[in-house]
Each structure stands twice: as C-alpha cells, then as structure tokens.
Amino acid sequence: MALLTSDIRTILSAKGLIKFNSSTTDSSMVATFTNDDVVENCYTKLRLTASVGNNIITMTRVDNDSEDNNCIDIRTIDSVSAIGAVNMPGYVYTGNFSGCVFYLYKTAPKEVTGVHAYSGIVTTRTKRFLRKPKVTQVVREFGPSDYRRISS
C-alpha cells in the first residue's frame, strides 16, 4: 500500500477536515502489558483514507484483531507513556498535546511504534523532622526510558 503523504499534505494545507468513523462495535483499546509501570499499549486500529476531491481525511475504526489497518490512534493516559505499533507503511495519530512529547521508534523491520509521553505536574512531599512537610511540584515527563532500551 502506497503512502498518501502528498494527498494528506494537500488536504491539510487547504484546511480540510479529519473525519472519524467506526465500522465496528468494539469500543475497547488494544491493551497488552509491557512490564513497565509508565509504558502501556493503549491504542485503536484505524483504516486511513484521503480524498483530495472532498478535502477530507477519513479514519475508520476497525476491530482490534484486524490485520488490514494502516493507522493507529494512540490515546493519552495520565502519568503514562501510551504506545502503539503499526506496520509500515502506516500512520500514527495522537492528540491532546499540552506539553506532552511524541517519540517514534522502529521496532521491527516493517514496524514502527509511536509513543505519546505524558508530561505533567508531579507533587512530592518530603517529611522533615519536627517541621511541616516540604511540598514540591515539578513537571515530569513519563517517558519510555525502559522501553527505549528494549527497542534499540
């Protein structure tokens, strides 16, 4: 399957629409365990098409066990890096960025894995002898450091 890069660029440059459809009643996420507290598979499988004539990019949700998807939608999870894998050539979609970071890894000869790494404020409390606890708030990226070592 050929990439639709030029069609997608044309549609987005012309301020076209991105439309989401569903061809399934399956509303669950693809979720498998990674044995890492801050990395989770959390995505849905999609079939992406682009119509320059209608100025629309359409992403249609397909079943989790489908093999004919060419796109994934990685969902945002609080305090976790959400990941999803797709066969190449394929597309990775993710949203809800407000300081988050996105990574893309080649995880197999014909596979890429996208990572939506959540960045948010973490509050820590440090007990101090005979004093009030010290409260500190810092922005932390829940990045895929363990995953990065595995996939390299």
Side-chain angles (χ1 to χ4, degrees):
M1 176 184 287
L3 285 175
L4 305 170
T5 310
S6 61
D7 291 348
I8 291 170
R9 182 181 300 120
T10 301
I11 293 167
L12 293 176
S13 297
K15 297 187 170 119
L17 299 174
I18 298 176
K19 185 171 133 183
F20 292 88
N21 288 335
S22 182
S23 66
T24 180
T25 57
D26 185 0
S27 61
S28 65
M29 302 286 145
V30 174
T32 56
F33 298 100
T34 62
N35 295 323
D36 186 335
D37 291 341
V38 296
V39 179
E40 286 186 30
N41 281 302
C42 187
Y43 64 98
T44 58
K45 291 184 176 183
L46 307 169
R47 192 174 310 109
L48 184 139
T49 57
S51 172
V52 176
N54 294 330
N55 209 26
I56 295 175
I57 298 168
T58 304
M59 290 188 242
T60 305
R61 172 80 158 85
V62 296
D63 290 327
N64 287 348
D65 60 358
S66 176
E67 294 297 325
D68 68 342
N69 68 300
N70 65 345
C71 183
I72 57 170
D73 177 5
I74 300 174
R75 301 304 173 93
T76 306
I77 308 174
D78 193 27
S79 303
V80 169
S81 285
I83 66 172
V86 66
N87 290 331
M88 297 187 296
Y91 306 91
V92 178
Y93 173 85
T94 187
N96 299 328
F97 278 90
S98 60
C100 299
V101 180
F102 188 78
Y103 297 96
L104 195 60
Y105 297 100
K106 184 175 181 181
T107 49
K110 294 193 174 209
E111 178 187 84
V112 294
T113 296
V115 179
H116 186 133
Y118 172 80
S119 289
I121 294 179
V122 176
T123 302
T124 59
R125 297 184 194 299
T126 307
K127 290 184 179 183
R128 301 187 299 180
F129 184 69
L130 297 176
R131 295 168 59 188
K132 288 185 177 180
K134 180 180 179 184
V135 178
T136 309
Q137 289 187 323
V138 295
V139 175
R140 176 176 172 225
E141 175 189 319
F142 291 84
S145 59
D146 293 336
Y147 182 77
R148 196 177 343 209
R149 281 194 297 273
I150 293 168
S151 64
S152 297

